[in-house]
Amino acid sequence: MSSFTTRPTLRGSFGMVSSTHWLASAVAMAILEDGGNAFDAAVAGAFVLHVVEPHLNGPAGEVPIILAPTGEEPKVLCGQGPAPAGATIEHYTDLGLDLVPGTGPLAAAVPGAFDAWMLLLRDHGTKRLAEVMAYAIGYAEHGHPVLEDVAVTISTVQNLFETEWTTSATVYLPSGKPPAPGQLLKNPTLAQTWRRLLAQTTGMGREEQIEAARRIWREGFIGEALASAATQPVMDTSGERHAGTLTGDDLANYAATYEEPATYTWNGWTIAKPGLWSQGPVFLQQLALLPDQLNYGTADYYHTLIESSKLAMADREAWYGDSADIALEALLSPSYNTVRRGLIGPDASYELRPGSPAGRPPRLSRHAISTAPAQIPLGAGEPTVSRSGATRGDTCHIDVVDRWGNMVAATPSGGWLQSNPVVPELGFPLGTRLQMAWLEPGLPNSLAPGRRPRTTLSPSLALRDGEPVLAFGTPGGDQQDQWSIHFFLAVALREKHCGSWDLQGAVDAPNWHNDSFPGSFYPRSMTPGGVVIESRVGDGVLTELRRRGHRITVNEPWSEGRLCAVARDPETGLLSAAANPRGMQGYAIGR
């Protein structure tokens, strides 16, 4: 295995942070330096990500969080809000729709991220709300240097902002045009929102203040503004103007929840993921499908991972969702995976092949039989990797481990600047996660009031002998558990053969993704046999994969994956971290 890395793996004993933006990493580290723990740091970093990566996430989005407090079992904190009470299939089909639009208030689920961050801070943090929000307020009020991807994203929706979403133009088209890369971009309305929130909770104890903030989000001035915004007809990807279904009652009745993680043990590693309401178990299924021997970096290695990903993703389409009535144990059972592994032949497969766990026949959406890639409208779907492999942006991720051994991984997303018009009183838009639910009854991921749309967001936590040792994750929509499995195997197989970890080397390793399944985001297209892979894998691997029938798109050398990772050796207490160099914005920091 190559030892070449773009950066060193950071090592220390005090604290480590890795995130998709250097400012969020620096802020989270500042909280650690000020005596905060990993959970305080993650919350502070997350609020900064809302400001500096507004094309990738926002306060009204969603977040799954995996946390491992010292001495406790890992748990999942679900910040994925459900469909509003009025979001019935009939409501959408009566409007002449066969898919939930990719933008606009019709696609808005109940926002879940804010409440999840508040619960994390209340139950596991030590800092006061004003302390963790101060950095985000500062960047919103005084400005932050615009990333090139932010500027490009704003440019792609400039006409929409100017003609339809004029409240967004007020924030993101200063002086009537998109900001230039590096220009300071301010969002004074967002800063004012957070200052008003804090002003209405002053004089309270720490936990009392957090509870008051949760009430304000649900039922106070924030909840009122969000509910009002959802009633406004907005131009969306259907080409028509629609109002949403979100109401004040939906907001008032929502609370983020804790739950047990889905887990699978492979070669001494136990991986914890969000459950079947998410994409997370795809990672576990891919592990369960692996053969006993893997020759890392060979054409056969890539072929095996690609084909196992196709099988896991096919099961995702048939069996995953908040209405899933299959036990995860059935999908991870040795007998089931022995049969499934036998489907991985020497050549690339082109069919969507869900399995029959416990002898039950799978059922797929009618859209799952479509094989023609669709033209994606501007602003549609998640800002992720295009069919050609070109990166348009992504979601966000942050990992933190502290000197006490607390560990957390979180993948915030949704509420992008291109998802909905900015709520003028608040400075941020609603999200669009409902676009992931099907407008067909009887499926695990059918749209239904009170049900969570199946999310692609998929942070990971790895344990050895019951001890949390590695927190990691990546943006990337449908690519998340493809990029993550490749990273994890680069760590695990190096340890097996070399006796040590190389986090940065695993992050830097040439990566790939395939599109042989219905995409989770509007317009839900797929490319059977399509694989996008970095050119650094080498001509020999590419030639062999093509010979096996894979429809290869060779992408730029540094284009696939945006992994973040932190680790802790429970025997020595040594901490480490690494971050993705692709995109030139993710950084790890620590000491």
Side-chain angles (χ1 to χ4, degrees):
M1 295 184 182
S2 173
S3 60
F4 168 77
T5 61
T6 57
R7 309 164 178 173
T9 295
L10 303 185
R11 292 181 173 87
S13 58
F14 180 81
M16 290 284 162
V17 180
S18 180
S19 88
T20 49
H21 196 292
W22 68 86
L23 290 178
S25 296
V27 163
M29 192 67 198
I31 293 290
L32 294 180
E33 295 285 3
D34 194 45
N37 65 18
F39 310 115
D40 298 313
V43 175
F47 275 91
V48 170
L49 287 173
H50 295 332
V51 179
V52 300
E53 293 192 313
H55 61 318
L56 310 180
N57 78 135
E62 46 275 330
V63 61
I65 304 167
I66 299 185
L67 58 148
T70 302
E72 299 182 24
E73 293 294 319
K75 63 188 78 173
V76 171
L77 177 49
C78 175
Q80 173 58 66
T88 64
I89 290 176
E90 292 74 22
H91 178 76
Y92 289 74
T93 56
D94 285 349
L95 293 172
L97 301 170
D98 62 353
L99 290 174
V100 177
T103 61
L106 265 184
V110 180
F114 181 86
D115 201 61
W117 290 121
M118 291 300 99
L119 279 187
L120 183 66
L121 183 65
R122 184 197 71 182
D123 297 342
H124 301 283
T126 64
K127 293 289 189 180
R128 294 185 62 85
L129 186 56
E131 293 178 282
V132 298
M133 297 187 78
Y135 299 90
I137 292 172
Y139 285 121
E141 189 167 56
H142 303 296
H144 60 93
V146 171
L147 296 168
E148 182 177 358
D149 284 348
V150 176
V152 170
T153 300
I154 295 172
S155 295
T156 64
V157 288
Q158 179 178 358
N159 183 66
L160 177 67
F161 284 6
E162 291 173 337
T163 60
E164 297 283 348
W165 297 8
T166 55
T167 58
S168 297
T170 300
V171 176
Y172 293 110
L173 297 175
S175 305
K177 61 183 180 180
Q183 177 182 336
L184 286 179
L185 178 63
K186 301 177 183 180
N187 189 342
T189 303
L190 177 59
Q192 182 181 12
T193 295
W194 296 144
R195 288 192 185 282
R196 184 178 175 187
L197 177 78
L198 294 174
Q200 292 186 9
T201 61
T202 56
M204 300 179 182
R206 194 186 80 89
E207 294 186 12
E208 184 184 8
Q209 183 187 35
I210 294 169
E211 283 301 299
R214 295 176 72 199
R215 288 192 298 272
I216 291 169
W217 178 273
R218 294 169 178 162
E219 304 174 60
F221 78 93
I222 295 178
E224 291 173 356
L226 290 173
S228 176
T231 67
Q232 306 303 312
V234 167
M235 178 66 71
D236 59 36
T237 52
S238 72
E240 298 180 0
R241 295 179 181 86
H242 294 112
T245 61
L246 181 70
T247 68
D249 286 343
D250 296 314
L251 289 159
N253 293 329
Y254 173 75
T257 55
Y258 291 103
E259 60 186 53
E260 295 297 313
T263 61
Y264 183 77
T265 299
W266 176 84
N267 285 1
W269 295 81
T270 298
I271 308 298
K273 301 287 289 186
L276 284 170
W277 53 269
S278 78
Q279 180 178 274
V282 161
F283 189 105
L284 309 182
Q285 285 198 256
Q286 288 176 105
L287 286 178
L289 285 165
L290 292 178
D292 292 335
Q293 298 296 323
L294 282 172
N295 190 1
Y296 180 84
T298 63
D300 192 61
Y301 169 85
Y302 285 104
H303 173 77
T304 300
L305 262 62
I306 293 165
E307 292 302 303
S308 65
S309 170
K310 293 175 185 177
L311 293 174
M313 285 296 199
D315 275 354
R316 184 193 75 167
E317 289 310 307
W319 301 108
Y320 289 25
D322 207 19
S323 298
D325 60 355
I326 191 74
L328 181 58
E329 289 76 14
L331 295 170
L332 296 175
S333 68
S335 58
Y336 178 72
N337 282 285
T338 295
V339 174
R340 298 288 280 162
R341 195 178 302 114
L343 297 176
I344 301 177
D347 298 322
S349 60
Y350 285 65
E351 298 178 12
L352 193 66
R353 300 179 293 176
S356 300
R360 298 175 55 189
R363 181 185 170 193
L364 295 170
S365 164
R366 63 179 180 272
H367 286 275
I369 63 174
S370 172
T371 59
Q375 182 67 35
I376 300 177
L378 290 178
E382 183 175 38
T384 185
V385 176
S386 71
R387 297 296 168 187
S388 68
T391 300
R392 302 195 302 270
D394 257 307
T395 245
C396 305
H397 189 82
I398 185 168
D399 302 309
V400 188
V401 61
D402 63 30
R403 62 189 185 275
W404 301 288
N406 297 303
M407 188 175 288
V408 59
T411 311
S413 186
W416 314 299
L417 66 86
Q418 64 274 36
S419 64
N420 260 296
V422 165
V423 180
E425 303 94 329
L426 303 178
F428 58 85
L430 288 164
T432 54
R433 193 61 56 168
L434 287 189
Q435 66 182 286
M436 307 186 76
W438 295 114
L439 296 180
E440 300 171 56
L443 299 170
N445 189 35
S446 296
L447 181 68
R451 294 289 188 179
R452 294 169 290 190
R454 189 192 68 215
T455 182
T456 55
L457 307 175
S458 189
S460 304
L461 188 78
L463 301 89
R464 298 295 295 271
D465 300 321
E467 290 285 336
V469 296
L470 178 64
F472 61 100
T474 178
D478 294 317
Q479 285 76 52
Q480 288 183 33
D481 286 295
Q482 302 182 63
W483 290 340
S484 290
I485 193 76
H486 184 68
F487 160 81
F488 170 73
L489 291 174
V491 172
L493 295 177
R494 177 184 171 88
E495 181 193 47
K496 179 180 179 180
H497 295 291
C498 304
S500 63
W501 295 5
D502 180 12
L503 288 190
Q504 192 62 50
V507 168
D508 288 351
N511 218 320
W512 58 275
H513 79 268
N514 87 92
D515 296 313
S516 297
F517 49 86
S520 294
F521 295 89
Y522 183 92
R524 315 301 294 270
S525 58
M526 61 187 286
T527 306
V531 177
V532 180
I533 192 166
E534 290 181 350
S535 61
R536 290 184 296 126
V537 300
D539 291 340
V541 169
L542 295 171
T543 298
E544 176 61 15
L545 290 177
R546 286 194 177 99
R547 189 192 68 78
R548 294 184 182 211
H550 296 282
R551 294 173 175 172
I552 298 293
T553 297
V554 180
N555 206 0
E556 295 297 317
W558 298 92
S559 55
E560 289 286 307
R562 286 182 62 200
L563 269 298
C564 300
V566 299
R568 180 178 183 271
D569 184 333
E571 294 184 3
T572 65
L574 183 68
L575 311 178
S576 56
N580 171 56
R582 302 163 179 88
M584 303 298 286
Q585 67 189 64
Y587 274 88
I589 187 170
R591 68 174 180 88

